[in-house]
Amino acid sequence: MPFVKRLSQEERTRLERLRRLQTELKHRFRDLSLLDQALTHSSFSHEQNLPGKDYERMEFFGDSI
């Protein structure tokens, strides 16, 4: 049986907001976790103890191109 992570209420709420954003933008993203990361400020990531789960690495990569 594969491991299935149960989402917290906060995670479910965030996922629902990302899905609504897709609807509003009329664009379906293949990977919602990348959209989530792209919209996460480093201060929030730091407060939530989620190292590397913010947009700064994506920004750095974009700048280098």
Side-chain angles (χ1 to χ4, degrees):
M1 182 170 157
F3 175 75
V4 178
K5 180 186 177 217
R6 292 189 177 234
L7 299 177
S8 68
Q9 181 60 39
E10 183 178 311
E11 290 170 319
R12 285 192 302 267
T13 300
R14 190 159 175 88
L15 183 59
E16 181 56 36
R17 288 179 178 170
L18 291 171
R19 287 180 176 150
R20 276 191 268 144
L21 177 60
Q22 284 187 127
T23 302
E24 291 294 320
L25 295 175
K26 296 181 173 119
H27 180 81
R28 182 164 163 74
F29 294 87
R30 286 187 208 158
D31 187 344
L32 279 180
S33 68
L34 291 175
L35 176 60
D36 188 32
Q37 182 178 354
L39 297 173
T40 302
H41 192 272
S42 59
S43 63
F44 176 80
S45 176
H46 180 72
E47 289 172 4
Q48 299 298 314
N49 197 23
L50 302 168
K53 299 286 186 183
D54 58 59
Y55 63 75
E56 288 189 7
R57 194 172 90 179
M58 290 177 171
E59 181 180 25
F60 176 77
F61 179 69
D63 289 347
S64 69
I65 293 176

